[in-house]
Amino acid sequence: MAAIRVPRGWEFPEREATPEHVYWNRRRFLTTLGTAAIGASGFFRHAAAADSPFPAKRNPKYQLDRPITAEGPVTHYNNFYEFTEKKEVWKLVDRFKTEPWTIKISGRVEKPQTLDLDKLRHWIPLEERLYRHRCVEAWAMAVPWTGIPLKALIELAEPKADARYVRLVSFFRPNQAPNQKEPQWTETEQGSRKWYPWPYYEALTMAEAMNELTFVATGIYGHELPKQNGAPLRLVVPWKYGFKSIKSIVRIELTSKKPGTFWNDFAPLGNDWFANVNPAIPHPEWSQATEKLIDTGEVRPTVLYNGYGSFVAHLYEKG
Ligand SMILES: Nc1nc2c(c(=O)[nH]1)N[C@H]1C(S)=C(S)[C@@H](COP(=O)(O)O)O[C@H]1N2
Ligand SMILES: [Mo]
């Protein structure tokens, strides 16, 4: 269902000419206007679809150590290379069709599934969680996601005993995602020129995938995910660098062998397979000791596992 379009404060054209820090500071003044606009579009959507799962109840277990990042920056400063290698993904997503959407769960499972996302949202109750989000590029934000634990999806398919990894795959639609069109070549950090191995793919160990933190989001800030944030369904693994949190998932495959991952295969230096946030391991081109909040510009020390050690450190301790 299409949302009713309400112009938002941050879409005013003068932003093009505004230096970034001034723009984001001014954006904070506009929050009131933005919230009112979202509230209105939300109201009409819900009136038309009485069974809307939004907004979902917040799960109080997951607490932040910083304010929630303003919505404008979170939805207008994105990494989504299928569309562009620049941050302004939101300008290029119009042709991307996220409805209808099905997700296949296959591989080492008793009951392979083809799930219709629209139905799924109503079968499994959604919850909201506040998570820190840290990109390998050393910027960070704090986001209210709406979704379900990945575990709930995996359990629908009944994993076999030899399932050891979970591989997740994004869409391949060159006609809808301009940066998937060939021929376009890019320079890797290692100096060789090669084309991205679309579609984007990621993987977790089974224990990581079943961890309570591992989340799949269909929403953000109390409404559906915008396309630039990975609609209609994206992974959220908050103790890992953002590239693990694969967007717009079409396939989930349980495997017994370790699958490759997009960034680790393409440019392994700085893009570790596990990619756990770690201030002590620098990227080859920059330190990971600190991170910069995208809305305020505040610089904070990076925390091991992005501060989620109490949930996940046991996964990596040698026994
Ligand atoms: N399919 C796909 N998923 C992706 C990416 C991508 O380019 N394609 N970029 C990743 C990176 S590097 C980050 S930091 C996060 C960014 O998520 P956000 O734009 O919602 O903040 O998405 C990740 N998921
Ligand atoms: Mo990232």
Side-chain angles (χ1 to χ4, degrees):
M1 149 138 15
I4 291 166
R5 173 125 182 98
V6 180
R8 302 196 178 154
W10 58 82
E11 291 174 350
F12 295 161
E14 75 265 33
R15 71 156 295 201
E16 307 297 345
T18 311
E20 199 173 41
H21 71 281
V22 177
Y23 166 63
W24 292 132
N25 284 336
R26 193 167 38 151
R27 164 68 193 122
R28 293 160 82 195
F29 284 100
L30 294 171
T31 298
T32 316
L33 171 63
T35 306
I38 291 155
S41 77
F43 172 79
F44 288 115
R45 259 189 297 161
H46 297 169
D51 59 345
S52 169
F54 296 102
K57 203 168 167 228
R58 182 172 296 173
N59 185 334
K61 184 166 181 190
Y62 307 100
Q63 297 286 332
L64 296 174
D65 60 350
R66 61 194 66 178
I68 295 175
T69 304
E71 183 176 356
V74 171
T75 57
H76 293 75
Y77 184 89
N78 299 99
N79 276 335
F80 204 163
Y81 275 30
E82 286 87 336
F83 296 92
T84 174
E85 289 151 70
K86 302 202 174 91
K87 300 294 188 248
E88 295 189 321
V89 179
W90 62 276
K91 290 181 177 172
L92 293 162
V93 293
D94 281 358
R95 274 195 292 165
F96 179 37
K97 277 203 157 55
T98 57
E99 267 177 71
W101 195 274
T102 55
I103 296 151
K104 286 205 162 83
I105 310 182
S106 61
R108 308 305 301 156
V109 295
E110 301 290 352
K111 296 189 174 159
Q113 305 276 325
T114 300
L115 302 169
D116 178 330
L117 188 65
D118 221 43
K119 289 183 188 142
L120 183 75
R121 277 205 270 251
H122 298 95
W123 296 337
I124 303 179
L126 302 182
E127 60 179 282
E128 183 177 74
R129 294 188 183 186
L130 308 181
Y131 277 170
R132 294 179 289 278
H133 175 40
R134 169 65 153 81
C135 177
V136 75
E137 296 163 343
W139 50 259
M141 45 175 102
V143 181
W145 302 105
T146 304
I148 58 171
L150 176 62
K151 183 175 192 265
L153 277 190
I154 290 174
E155 282 175 347
L156 282 177
E158 299 180 13
K160 291 189 175 172
D162 66 353
R164 295 180 56 218
Y165 296 92
V166 178
R167 173 177 143 87
L168 305 106
V169 185
S170 291
F171 64 94
F172 181 65
R173 299 181 188 171
N175 291 329
Q176 297 182 21
N179 208 34
Q180 285 187 328
K181 274 209 175 113
E182 290 191 79
Q184 288 174 32
W185 299 79
T186 195
E187 200 84 33
T188 69
E189 286 135 19
Q190 285 73 50
S192 61
R193 282 161 62 82
K194 45 182 177 174
W195 178 233
Y196 295 116
W198 306 121
Y200 198 99
Y201 53 100
E202 256 302 336
L204 299 168
T205 66
M206 197 65 182
E208 290 175 332
M210 302 301 269
N211 187 273
E212 69 171 278
L213 283 182
T214 306
F215 204 56
V216 283
T218 62
I220 198 169
Y221 295 90
H223 53 79
E224 280 175 41
L225 273 180
K227 294 175 184 177
Q228 61 269 31
N229 290 90
L233 186 81
R234 61 89 56 84
L235 185 67
V236 185
V237 272
W239 73 96
K240 294 176 178 284
Y241 291 120
F243 65 82
K244 298 292 287 184
S245 291
I246 182 173
K247 293 176 169 179
S248 308
I249 299 163
V250 299
R251 200 146 50 87
I252 298 174
E253 223 179 288
L254 277 63
T255 69
S256 50
K257 289 200 190 102
K258 190 177 183 182
T261 65
F262 182 91
W263 278 110
N264 184 245
D265 288 345
F266 185 75
L269 296 181
N271 297 310
D272 178 57
W273 193 95
F274 282 99
N276 294 324
V277 173
N278 188 339
I281 302 178
H283 186 276
E285 293 173 59
W286 56 84
S287 164
Q288 294 291 20
T290 60
E291 61 193 29
K292 188 172 174 177
L293 301 185
I294 63 156
D295 56 342
T296 59
E298 186 192 345
V299 175
R300 300 176 63 116
T302 303
V303 182
L304 183 63
Y305 303 121
N306 206 18
Y308 294 103
S310 64
F311 295 95
V312 298
H314 69 276
L315 296 173
Y316 310 105
E317 280 159 9
K318 296 192 176 75

